[in-house]
Amino acid sequence: MLLALRRSGLPLNRRAAAQRMAGLECRGCTLGLTTDRSGGGAVRSRATKRKPKLVKTLCDACREAFPDFRFTSIQVSLNSKYRMHHDGCDAGPRRM
């Protein structure tokens, strides 16, 4: 799984909530479902469409670690810090 993440070429993270770590590029993306910003429902994220093998690898690992845990998305972050928070569209429990 770590090899898949290292090879994935994560995009730069421009989210305002991401706190940059000094001297490091903040990278990350959401894999799975996200909210359609034009007012629609849930849609596959851009990163999901671009990285289907990474999505499968991470989903398989999550299902193996937590077989009964249902999820719709995975947030992948590198060199970024977030304060514990609850997004307005969160639909249930989270795992870190």
Side-chain angles (χ1 to χ4, degrees):
M1 180 169 48
L2 284 175
L3 184 59
L5 284 166
R6 288 184 178 126
R7 290 181 175 170
S8 69
L10 295 173
L12 288 175
N13 186 341
R14 295 181 175 89
R15 299 177 105 189
Q19 299 173 8
R20 273 67 180 153
M21 297 175 72
L24 300 171
E25 284 187 323
C26 183
R27 296 189 170 272
C29 60
T30 299
L31 300 172
L33 297 179
T34 189
T35 304
D36 179 4
R37 295 182 191 262
S38 67
V43 296
R44 286 184 303 150
S45 71
R46 185 179 314 148
T48 300
K49 295 173 190 173
R50 291 180 179 170
K51 301 182 180 303
K53 290 180 184 178
L54 178 62
V55 172
K56 179 167 178 14
T57 298
L58 293 179
C59 285
D60 289 348
C62 288
R63 288 186 189 111
E64 184 178 328
F66 303 102
D68 297 326
F69 183 68
R70 296 179 65 184
F71 58 94
T72 57
S73 63
I74 299 171
Q75 177 65 38
V76 180
S77 300
L78 174 68
N79 300 329
S80 45
K81 299 184 292 183
Y82 290 88
R83 289 195 172 108
M84 287 299 291
H85 67 282
H86 185 281
D87 291 335
C89 295
D90 285 353
R94 290 155 296 285
R95 298 285 188 270
M96 292 184 83

